[in-house]
């Protein structure tokens, strides 16, 4: 099955700095890579995703890059703000024997943005 | 639209007791999922369903059963709770096609097994 590794497990930055979270995956058939943000005590919410036919996607201060050859994708947050403090999860699509795909999640990165 | 609603939000059980978590969605989604979240372990898939009347095992299915009798509901059952099942449980749903992996999560159910 799919294995998704996520680094670092914790990341502390100063407000205004950039933050980068990296993930690797093992299944070359994976073709969908979302990122979820989970604030303390809240549910995970999708913030950005990328499909395997593109290498980069941006949405205001966040961007995701994908390197299919290296099986590596990253989340980039620029001009970080205290409200960006949360746990971020990467995920990769996993295809089961039944033909349906599900998501396999990384273990999460706790991002702390200090004012 | 309420989205995905989970009940109960909190529950404390004794070892060996049984209980059922209910997930309801009002988005007419075909796919529904149960994940558990433990510190440092991310979100792990327990069971999922690709339509009414169907269920399938995920990564960590042991000790749990599920049922999808109605399209809008997905039930997660613990027949004999164990302390290792202390966790936060999240239900999620998604549509088909390109939206198949775009998950909408419920607010979570925190379960403690003593």
């Amino acid at each position: 099955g799919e294995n998704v590794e996520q680094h670092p497990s914790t990341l502390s930055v100063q407000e205004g700095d950039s933050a980068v979270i990296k993930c690797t995956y093992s299944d070359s058939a994976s073709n969908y890579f979302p990122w979820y943000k989970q604030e303390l005590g809240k549910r995970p919410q999708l913030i950005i995703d990328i499909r395997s036919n593109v290498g980069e996607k941006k949405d205001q201060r966040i961007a995701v890059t994908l390197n299919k050859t290296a099986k590596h994708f990253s989340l980039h947050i620029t001009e970080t703000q205290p409200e960006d403090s949360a746990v971020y999860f990467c995920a990769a699509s996993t295809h089961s024997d039944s033909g349906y795909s599900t998501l396999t999640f990384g273990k999460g990165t706790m991002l702390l943005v200090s004012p | 639209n309420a989205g995905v609603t989970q009940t109960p939000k909190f529950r404390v059980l004794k070892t060996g007791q049984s209980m059922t978590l209910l997930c309801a969605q009002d988005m007419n989604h075909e796919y529904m999922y149960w994940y558990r979240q433990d510190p440092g372990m991310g979100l792990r898939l327990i069971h999922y369903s690709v339509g009414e009347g169907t269920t399938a095992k995920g990564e960590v299915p042991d000790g749990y059963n599920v049922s999808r009798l109605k399209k809008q509901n997905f039930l997660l059952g613990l027949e004999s709770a164990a302390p290792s099942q202390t966790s936060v449980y999240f239900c999620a749903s998604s549509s088909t096609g390109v939206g198949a992996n775009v998950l909408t999560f419920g607010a979570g159910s925190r379960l403690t097994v003593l």
Side-chain angles (χ1 to χ4, degrees), chain A residues 32 36 38 42-44 46 49 51 89 93 96 98 100-103 105-108, chain B residues 4 31 33 35 37 40-43 45 48 50 90 98-99 101-103 105-107:
Chain A
Y32 176 68
Y36 285 79
Q38 185 180 29
K42 304 290 187 181
R43 72 192 75 192
L46 179 69
D49 57 11
R51 298 189 185 272
F89 293 98
S93 59
S96 67
S98 64
Y100 294 97
S101 71
T102 58
L103 290 180
F105 285 83
K107 294 184 178 180
Chain B
V4 179
Y31 300 166
Y33 314 83
Y35 283 88
Q37 183 176 30
M41 296 298 291
L43 293 153
L45 183 63
Y48 64 101
V50 297
F90 284 98
V98 294
N101 282 316
V102 181
L103 303 185
F105 283 90

Side-chain angles (χ1 to χ4, degrees), chain A residues 24-36:
Chain A
T24 60
Y25 62 98
S26 60
D27 187 354
S28 58
S30 294
N31 59 8
Y32 176 68
F33 308 91
W35 287 87
Y36 285 79

Side-chain angles (χ1 to χ4, degrees), chain B residues 15-29:
Chain B
T15 297
Q17 287 185 319
S18 64
M19 74 157 296
T20 300
L21 296 176
L22 171 64
C23 177
Q25 52 95 5
D26 61 2
M27 297 172 287
N28 201 34
H29 282 171

Side-chain angles (χ1 to χ4, degrees), chain A residues 16-111:
Chain A
D17 288 349
S18 294
V20 180
I21 302 171
K22 300 180 179 181
C23 288
T24 60
Y25 62 98
S26 60
D27 187 354
S28 58
S30 294
N31 59 8
Y32 176 68
F33 308 91
W35 287 87
Y36 285 79
K37 175 183 180 182
Q38 185 180 29
E39 297 176 354
L40 187 62
K42 304 290 187 181
R43 72 192 75 192
Q45 293 193 302
L46 179 69
I47 55 171
I48 196 168
D49 57 11
I50 192 167
R51 298 189 185 272
S52 59
N53 56 345
V54 298
E56 183 175 5
K57 183 177 179 181
K58 290 183 179 180
D59 183 3
Q60 300 182 337
R61 295 187 297 107
I62 61 174
V64 57
T65 58
L66 172 65
N67 183 328
K68 284 220 73 179
T69 302
K71 296 181 188 171
H72 171 276
F73 58 113
S74 300
L75 178 71
H76 304 254
I77 306 174
T78 59
E79 300 173 22
T80 54
Q81 301 167 2
E83 51 264 39
D84 294 329
S85 296
V87 177
Y88 292 80
F89 293 98
C90 65
S93 59
T94 302
H95 290 80
S96 67
D97 293 338
S98 64
Y100 294 97
S101 71
T102 58
L103 290 180
T104 298
F105 285 83
K107 294 184 178 180
T109 296
M110 180 177 292
L111 174 64

Side-chain angles (χ1 to χ4, degrees), chain B residues 72-85:
Chain B
Q72 64 268 34
N73 295 338
F74 194 30
L75 279 63
L76 177 71
L78 285 72
E79 290 187 347
S80 180
S84 61
Q85 294 178 303

Side-chain angles (χ1 to χ4, degrees), chain A residues 5-26:
Chain A
E5 298 282 345
Q6 182 171 348
H7 299 281
S9 56
T10 59
L11 179 59
S12 294
V13 300
Q14 293 290 318
E15 183 176 0
D17 288 349
S18 294
V20 180
I21 302 171
K22 300 180 179 181
C23 288
T24 60
Y25 62 98
S26 60

